[in-house]
Amino acid sequence: MTSRTDLPPATGASGPVEPSRPSMGRTALVLGAFVAVGPLTIDMYLPALPTIVTQLQTTEAAVQLTLTGTLVGLALGQLVIGPLSDALGRRRPLLAGTALHVLASLLVLLAPNIAVLGVLRVLQGVGTAAGAVIALAIVRDLYDGRAAATMLSRLFLVMGAAPVLAPTIGGEVLRFTSWRGIFALLGLYGLVLLAVGARALRETLPPERRRPLRLGATVRTYRALLRDRTYLGLVLVAGLTMAALFSYVAGASFVYQGQFGLDQQQFGLLFGAGAFWLIAATQLNPLALRRFAPAQVLLAGTLGGLLAGTALLVLSTTGTGGLAGVVAPLWAVLFCTGLALPNAPALALSRHGEAAGAAAALLGAVQFGVGALVSPLVGLLGNDARAMGVVILAALTLGTAVLVLLVRPWQLAGEAGPAVAAGH
């Protein structure tokens, strides 16, 4: 397994001893549970979006902005929490962010209007940012190269269950309670995570590897990251790929329920079926890494997504195939993004292990920030399958251009290291 060897050794009676290292499976499970807060928070209330429009007497665009608010909170929160985790360690900021998410989720139960709901969704996003950025930093603390990409694939398996289950759970919860009950369930999940994290999560960044928390130093760190052309390109590719995914998330409930007439439970099942292809690709990724470098898999996934996005736009514009003509290319887009998503972050983070928290924070901020900017476009263009196809294709076209012109993946083929993580 290609793992980090610069963790300081513990000292025993007979001299230094190698510190105990958690198993890859256990690490993936615990970190995945924290990372899953994000997809659950984003996806679980999707079946209720049309209902929220009616109950809060607002517009579809305003309700979609509550999703945008969550993504904005995720983006901004990571820029702060990343450097905090480099200075204070990983464990405390992770638990504090999760506690904020619990508080915001429970306050949603009292939200009287769409404006208050939007503010609370931003706070939810800030709290969720802790899991999103610190999980990546912990992976970088422990693993390098192909092992990091493999670990991220395992994380995507664990967190992939969230988008599969979230809309289905949300639809079932709506059978027994209102949309506010969904947020009560999110708060309960956060409380369970706090208990699990306090007991099972150990610190992976020892004091001697921490960086001072000074504004000037933080700004210089971000400036150095932005000057790395390859890192910046990989971050933009990850962000544009995520933008395509969030375009689907933002528009799916209105396309499936509004355009094609599915009910809340049918939407949840179809949305979950689509997420299966995303998960399948992330789990194919470790197998692909046995034969190909992460940069090669990233290029294949990006180009495949571009072709699938083109098919989606053509079929949705012409009306060919009805619902199946929209679902099939969407599933292909999800599969291809599942190949790209673990490898772009792994390659980007492998370049800056000395500032893993800040590097992961900037990566996450761009991913969710671009998603926040792009996802409302589906609503502005009409909230139908054609609008979704336009935005997805535009995002993947830009991502492919950045990958080819700025990153030049053929120059990265040898950077990932020779080994794939053991236990895979």
Side-chain angles (χ1 to χ4, degrees):
M1 177 173 68
T2 308
S3 58
R4 301 217 22 112
T5 58
D6 53 353
L7 294 176
T11 303
S14 58
V17 297
E18 189 69 20
S20 61
R21 187 182 300 275
S23 70
M24 204 173 200
R26 178 181 175 184
T27 301
L29 184 62
V30 174
L31 294 183
F34 278 95
V35 173
V37 175
L40 285 172
T41 301
I42 292 167
D43 294 346
M44 201 167 169
Y45 84 140
L46 293 181
L49 292 185
T51 302
I52 296 174
V53 171
T54 301
Q55 292 191 2
L56 295 185
Q57 298 179 345
T58 185
T59 65
E60 292 181 356
V63 171
Q64 282 179 314
L65 284 175
T66 65
L67 172 61
T68 300
T70 309
L71 300 180
V72 169
L74 272 163
L76 297 179
Q78 290 186 68
L79 290 175
V80 175
I81 293 171
L84 272 177
S85 75
D86 282 338
L88 304 177
R90 313 302 186 198
R91 192 171 180 272
R92 285 183 292 169
L94 179 58
L95 297 178
T98 304
L100 175 61
H101 178 271
V102 170
L103 177 62
S105 299
L106 296 179
L107 287 176
V108 169
L109 302 180
L110 306 175
N113 54 50
I114 193 66
V116 174
L117 177 61
V119 171
L120 292 174
R121 290 288 285 171
V122 173
L123 291 178
Q124 274 191 311
V126 173
T128 301
V133 66
I134 292 175
L136 290 180
I138 289 175
V139 170
R140 185 60 187 88
D141 289 340
L142 298 176
Y143 307 102
D144 274 316
R146 295 191 187 211
T150 300
M151 182 62 183
L152 286 173
S153 295
R154 292 193 169 200
L155 271 184
F156 272 95
L157 172 62
V158 178
M159 70 175 288
V164 168
L165 296 174
T168 304
I169 295 172
E172 293 301 317
V173 170
L174 290 173
R175 289 180 183 267
F176 307 103
T177 184
S178 72
W179 57 271
R180 297 179 194 267
I182 294 173
F183 290 92
L185 198 57
L186 285 171
L188 178 62
Y189 178 71
L191 288 173
V192 172
L193 276 186
L194 285 174
V196 170
R199 182 176 180 85
L201 192 67
R202 73 175 181 85
E203 182 58 63
T204 61
L205 187 67
E208 56 270 26
R209 285 180 50 207
R210 296 177 188 176
R211 301 164 66 89
L213 185 61
R214 294 194 297 265
L215 179 60
T218 300
V219 171
R220 285 192 295 273
T221 298
Y222 281 132
R223 186 185 300 129
L225 291 171
L226 292 172
R227 286 176 176 170
D228 183 343
R229 172 185 58 83
T230 302
Y231 169 83
L232 180 60
L234 288 165
V235 166
L236 290 174
V237 170
L240 289 164
T241 304
M242 190 71 81
L245 182 59
F246 280 130
S247 300
Y248 164 67
V249 169
S253 62
F254 295 102
V255 171
Y256 288 158
Q257 295 182 74
Q259 185 174 348
F260 292 103
L262 303 185
D263 62 27
Q264 293 171 338
Q265 286 70 42
Q266 290 170 332
F267 162 70
L269 291 173
L270 189 57
F271 191 90
F276 166 82
W277 295 100
L278 179 68
I279 298 169
T282 62
Q283 299 319 295
L284 176 64
N285 186 56
L287 298 178
L289 290 174
R290 291 179 173 179
R291 297 189 59 185
F292 305 101
Q296 294 171 315
V297 180
L298 173 61
L299 180 61
T302 305
L303 292 175
L306 181 61
L307 293 175
T310 302
L312 171 63
L313 180 58
V314 171
L315 293 175
S316 61
T317 300
T318 60
T320 304
L323 178 60
V326 171
V327 169
L330 271 176
W331 286 358
V333 168
L334 292 171
F335 183 84
C336 292
T337 56
L339 288 178
L341 283 174
N343 291 291
L347 287 166
L349 294 176
S350 69
R351 303 179 64 84
H352 293 282
E354 77 288 350
L362 185 58
L363 170 68
V366 170
Q367 281 186 310
F368 291 104
V370 173
L373 291 173
V374 170
S375 57
L377 295 179
V378 179
L380 293 175
L381 293 176
N383 259 342
D384 58 10
R386 180 182 176 277
M388 186 188 294
V390 168
V391 178
I392 288 175
L393 180 58
L396 293 177
T397 299
L398 288 174
T400 303
V402 170
L403 182 64
V404 172
L405 299 177
L406 195 60
V407 177
R408 301 165 190 167
W410 52 89
Q411 297 179 355
L412 302 179
E415 290 194 9
V420 178
H424 146 62

